[in-house]
Amino acid sequence: MNKEEKRALRRKRLMENKTYQTMDGLTRYMDRYYLDALISIIPSWGDAFALLCVIPFVYFSLRVIKSIPLTLAVLNNALRDMLMGMIPFFIGDIIDIFHRANIQNMEMIQGFVDGNEAVIKKVNQRAFQSAVVLIVLLLLIALMIWALVSFGSYLYSLVASIF
């Protein structure tokens, strides 16, 4: 069996994996049918739900493909999507329509499965950058949550003082 046949067999085996099929379904519903943008209308909770949908991608990249750089890139996309989705006044929801983190994650995973040298090289080059960005994104998400809670408290106290 030559290298190309081995790659095709591995790709077929991975595509038959339940987690891969779950990721494909999530990508279809969350990004192609814009469910991600629709559930983001629920402030913060919609974005948190969308972040939970990245768990199969992380599991597949870490446990099945066994690539830490790919896992970091997947997490980077997911957290960036969550942060952008948390921008208030429906701006984040509009951004969610165009960002499509799940499609990007699927393309990276498929590039690894297919042995696409350009994708593998790109993800490997971004491994350190992704780790730094993940830390910054987690801090920004915490800051955004604090800002939203503070703004909500301010609005509540403003409304309470009127009545």
Side-chain angles (χ1 to χ4, degrees), residues 90-149:
F90 300 106
I91 295 169
D93 302 326
I94 293 168
I95 292 171
D96 261 347
I97 291 172
F98 297 105
H99 186 250
R100 298 181 175 197
N102 294 317
I103 289 175
Q104 292 173 18
N105 287 338
M106 260 325 253
E107 288 171 354
M108 283 191 299
I109 288 171
Q110 286 175 340
F112 259 73
V113 170
D114 291 342
N116 183 326
E117 303 272 335
V119 171
I120 293 170
K121 183 177 179 182
K122 179 181 174 182
V123 171
N124 285 333
Q125 288 174 344
R126 292 185 176 183
F128 178 74
Q129 174 195 2
S130 295
V132 172
V133 168
L134 284 172
I135 292 168
V136 170
L137 286 173
L138 286 170
L139 291 173
L140 287 173
I141 288 169
L143 180 65
M144 184 66 85
I145 290 170
W146 174 80
L148 290 172
V149 168

Side-chain angles (χ1 to χ4, degrees), residues 27-40:
T27 300
R28 187 177 329 107
Y29 290 110
M30 294 297 282
D31 286 349
R32 291 193 181 103
Y33 298 145
Y34 305 105
L35 186 60
D36 189 13
L38 289 174
I39 63 171
S40 294

Side-chain angles (χ1 to χ4, degrees), residues 21 107 120 147 154 161:
Q21 293 170 0
E107 288 171 354
I120 293 170
Y154 170 75
S161 68

